[in-house]
Structure formats: C-alpha cells, structure tokens
Amino acid sequence: VVADVSGKGVSAAVVASTLQGMLYSHLAEDSSLPEMIAVVNRFLFEKIGGQKYATLVIARLFEDGQLELINCGHVPPILISGSTVTRLEDGNLPVGLIPSVKFNAVNLQLKPGDRLVVVTDGVTEAEDAAGEFFGSDRLDQCCAQGFEGIERAVTVFRGTTPLSDDCTMTEMIYRG
C-alpha cells in the first residue's frame, strides 16, 4: 500500500492514520480490493465530506504470481518485466472524494523477476530551476535501475532546486 493524503499538517495525518487502520483491517479479512476500497471510500467521505482525500495504490501478490492491483488517483505504477517497462495506466478516482463510486482492480500474471515500482507524486512533480516537472517519461526511463537510479535521476534533474513534496518509492519483486 502506498497512499498520499491531500494537504499537510494534523488533519492530513489523522486521515492517513484512519486510512491505514481501515485498509489493514480489511486486508486481514481478505476482501477483494474493489470491495475494500468502496467501504473505505464511503467511510472517509462520511467523516470528512470530500474536504480531504487520498490517492493510493494497493497491490496484493499471490504465491503463483497473480497480482491484484487497484490505483485510486495515484501516479501510475510501473511494471518492469525483463527489459520491458510498462506504465499501468488503469485507475480510479481518489478515495474519500465522491461517496458512491465503483472501483475496479487490474489482475496481472507476474513472472519470476518481475518488479512493480510505485512512487508518490513528489517524484514525478520534482521541479528543476526552470519549473519543469521530472514527469512520468523520465521516471519510465530510470526506474529499471531501481531506487538508486530513480533517486539519482531526480537529484540530477532538480539540481539545487529543493523538493516541494515528499518522494516516496516502493518496489515489489516477484521471485517465484
């Protein structure tokens, strides 16, 4: 699970904490990802009325390489299989924004060695001195080199321009 709550400060932290608790309790029940997100979405909307929302990616990997993935308004995850880099564009609305939304998951079959990379928008929206974003295309080009490659590419791109948001990265590797 990688999530990013809108806004900053205590209110965003409370939403993040609530979201984390709800997600993990539903994952323990082994609910399907679309059912789980629909419940979480309704609850968050009832509590915060669309004032705050969260983008998130949840991926569930099974022993046989089946991957169930749901993206709710987040930066598209990237699947690296051998030398092929694929941006997984299928997505849904963010969680907590609109009360009655249908959420859809993507199911993929991974092969041993396949990697799923998920980043927050702090990576793709890192800016250089001219105000240009790092962007998804640059991310696609460097993500096959792992975290060090992404971090190095973002650092070189932005130069001395400070980051304006957190840069969170995670990677799931299917070993077979």
Side-chain angles (χ1 to χ4, degrees):
V1 177
V2 175
D4 195 2
V5 176
S6 65
K8 308 255 186 254
V10 173
S11 61
V14 168
V15 171
S17 179
T18 301
L19 181 63
Q20 179 184 20
M22 290 192 71
L23 290 173
Y24 283 101
S25 68
H26 284 280
L27 283 169
E29 293 176 2
D30 208 24
S31 304
S32 78
L33 295 184
E35 291 170 354
M36 177 180 68
I37 292 301
V39 170
V40 170
N41 180 65
R42 277 192 306 276
F43 178 83
L44 282 180
F45 186 84
E46 288 171 9
K47 296 298 176 197
I48 56 180
Q51 299 297 314
K52 294 262 182 223
Y53 60 89
T55 67
L56 58 91
V57 171
I58 299 177
R60 186 183 328 205
L61 181 60
F62 298 92
E63 284 185 35
D64 64 355
Q66 258 315 104
L67 179 75
E68 181 185 23
L69 181 135
I70 192 162
N71 180 354
C72 297
H74 202 78
V75 174
I78 298 171
L79 178 64
I80 303 159
S81 183
S83 62
T84 303
V85 175
T86 306
R87 195 179 316 156
L88 304 176
E89 297 281 358
D90 291 339
N92 299 275
L93 289 173
V95 176
L97 197 56
I98 298 174
S100 297
V101 177
K102 182 179 179 193
F103 293 94
N104 298 303
V106 173
N107 292 293
L108 304 166
Q109 179 63 52
L110 301 186
K111 299 181 300 256
D114 285 356
R115 300 182 294 139
L116 182 72
V117 175
V118 182
V119 303
T120 58
D121 61 359
V123 173
T124 55
E125 294 176 3
E127 295 180 61
D128 65 7
E132 183 178 347
F133 286 146
F134 183 73
S136 297
D137 290 339
R138 285 185 184 90
L139 177 62
D140 291 350
Q141 292 168 10
C142 68
C143 68
Q145 293 133 19
F147 294 141
E148 292 82 14
I150 297 169
E151 184 178 23
R152 185 173 41 257
V154 170
T155 300
V156 168
F157 172 78
R158 66 182 181 83
T160 59
T161 305
L163 293 169
S164 59
D165 199 358
D166 62 288
C167 291
T168 301
M169 300 179 275
T170 192
E171 179 177 53
M172 177 188 295
I173 303 171
Y174 177 59
R175 300 204 189 276

